[in-house]
Amino acid sequence: MRAIGIVAALEMEIAELLGLMQADVVRHRIGRRDYYTGSLLGCPCVIVLARVGKVAAAATTVTLIREFGVASVVFTGVAGAISRHVNVGDVVVAQSLLQHDLDARPLFPRYEVPLLGLSHFDADPDLTRRLSSCATEYLRQDLAADGPARAQLSAQFGITRPAVHGGMIISGDSFINDAQHVEALRTSLPDALCVEMEGAAVAQVCHEYDVPYAVMRTISDRADGSAGIDFNAFLQAAASRYATGILRRFLVLQRERDAA
Ligand code: ADE
């Protein structure tokens, strides 16, 4: 059975996932990255850190596809909110992804990927539906039942009712931390829900190799330089906890589908 490629944006997510991997895990060092193969909750998986930025994430994804022949790619991490309806602690599952810093005008229209003729990439609808319902169930059931986790999220970060959103994730090679920049992105890309630095690159590579993919992000900030949170504490308390919990549900369902 071909493996699922799990690309994580955070070291902490990798550590938690490796903790769940069975004893058969093998580390492969390629292009200064560590790819871990083994079974995760009964599913063959390859786990890897994306590294930061579009080039790094694209290179990681090519290796996953060419060296490991993964059947699909699931990408997790954090993002800054762009839409006013998206809050810190929410989860965004991508329906489409776009590179907000790609501009080859006047040769090609703004955002269009030259020679592909596309300005955005649609995530695989089936994987996305499944990931999204696992995210909803995770927040509604698992997190809701975890009193200490909820108390920590509420006391430390003011997160009381985290929600799941589906829509456009935009990616670019800069960390956005400026209210004017957020406003400009809202004006030029009114459908954008959140911004990060890798997702659209993973999407482009998967599109080029016809590999189905899904992308989910936990919102860590408002991208506008407003009151900062303790980022590391957030990664532990929310982002990597969510990612592990959501992937756990996703992989259990996958194992059932594979067995059927
Ligand atoms: N990842 C998390 N927050 C981000 C932001 N504000 N800009 C870009 N990438 C991010």
Side-chain angles (χ1 to χ4, degrees):
M1 197 190 308
R2 284 164 69 206
I4 301 175
I6 298 183
V7 184
L10 309 170
E11 300 265 15
M12 225 177 262
E13 290 172 320
I14 298 281
E16 290 218 12
L17 291 173
L18 287 179
L20 291 179
M21 252 194 168
Q22 271 115 26
D24 57 352
V25 53
V26 178
R27 182 172 70 102
H28 310 254
R29 183 113 182 122
I30 304 171
R32 303 189 187 206
R33 289 147 171 81
D34 290 324
Y35 296 78
Y36 297 93
T37 56
S39 13
L40 197 52
L41 303 165
C43 296
C45 286
V46 188
I47 299 176
V48 63
L49 184 71
R51 297 167 76 101
V52 180
K54 292 187 295 173
V55 173
T60 305
T61 308
V62 171
T63 302
L64 261 186
I65 294 171
R66 298 288 301 170
E67 296 275 335
F68 297 96
V70 294
S72 56
V73 171
V74 176
F75 187 18
T76 67
V78 290
I82 294 295
S83 162
R84 290 193 178 84
H85 304 294
V86 172
N87 295 307
V88 170
D90 288 356
V91 174
V92 175
V93 180
Q95 275 157 5
S96 64
L97 298 107
L98 171 148
Q99 298 178 48
H100 66 78
D101 55 356
L102 180 52
D103 190 350
R105 289 177 295 177
L107 304 180
F108 297 92
R110 190 173 185 189
Y111 308 122
E112 182 170 308
V113 181
L115 312 186
L116 280 183
L118 292 173
S119 60
H120 67 268
F121 298 95
D122 292 326
D124 180 73
D126 177 46
L127 278 181
T128 299
R129 205 174 311 114
R130 283 191 272 141
L131 195 61
S132 189
S133 75
C134 289
T136 304
E137 294 304 305
Y138 167 75
L139 292 179
R140 198 183 288 161
Q141 294 184 24
D142 308 347
L143 187 63
D146 187 344
R150 276 194 301 124
Q152 184 190 14
L153 289 172
S154 165
Q156 221 172 339
F157 309 107
I159 299 168
T160 50
R161 289 166 171 261
V164 177
H165 309 265
M168 178 182 278
I169 295 182
I170 58 175
S171 313
D173 280 318
S174 42
F175 191 90
I176 311 290
N177 200 25
D178 171 71
Q180 278 183 359
H181 201 158
V182 171
E183 209 39 62
L185 289 170
R186 280 187 190 140
T187 304
S188 36
L189 294 165
D191 292 338
L193 297 184
C194 65
V195 63
E196 36 83 306
M197 300 176 66
E198 298 87 15
V202 172
Q204 180 175 335
V205 171
C206 287
H207 170 86
E208 289 173 343
Y209 285 93
D210 287 321
V211 171
Y213 64 93
V215 180
M216 63 160 247
R217 294 281 181 169
T218 299
I219 301 304
S220 56
D221 56 270
R222 298 222 58 88
D224 60 0
S226 62
I229 51 165
D230 178 341
F231 204 65
N232 275 329
F234 180 85
L235 299 186
Q236 187 109 52
S240 39
R241 173 182 277 144
Y242 285 13
T244 310
I246 295 167
L247 285 174
R248 189 189 277 276
R249 280 184 170 268
F250 181 84
L251 292 169
V252 167
L253 280 183
Q254 182 69 43
R255 189 181 60 204
E256 285 167 10
R257 284 167 68 99
D258 292 342

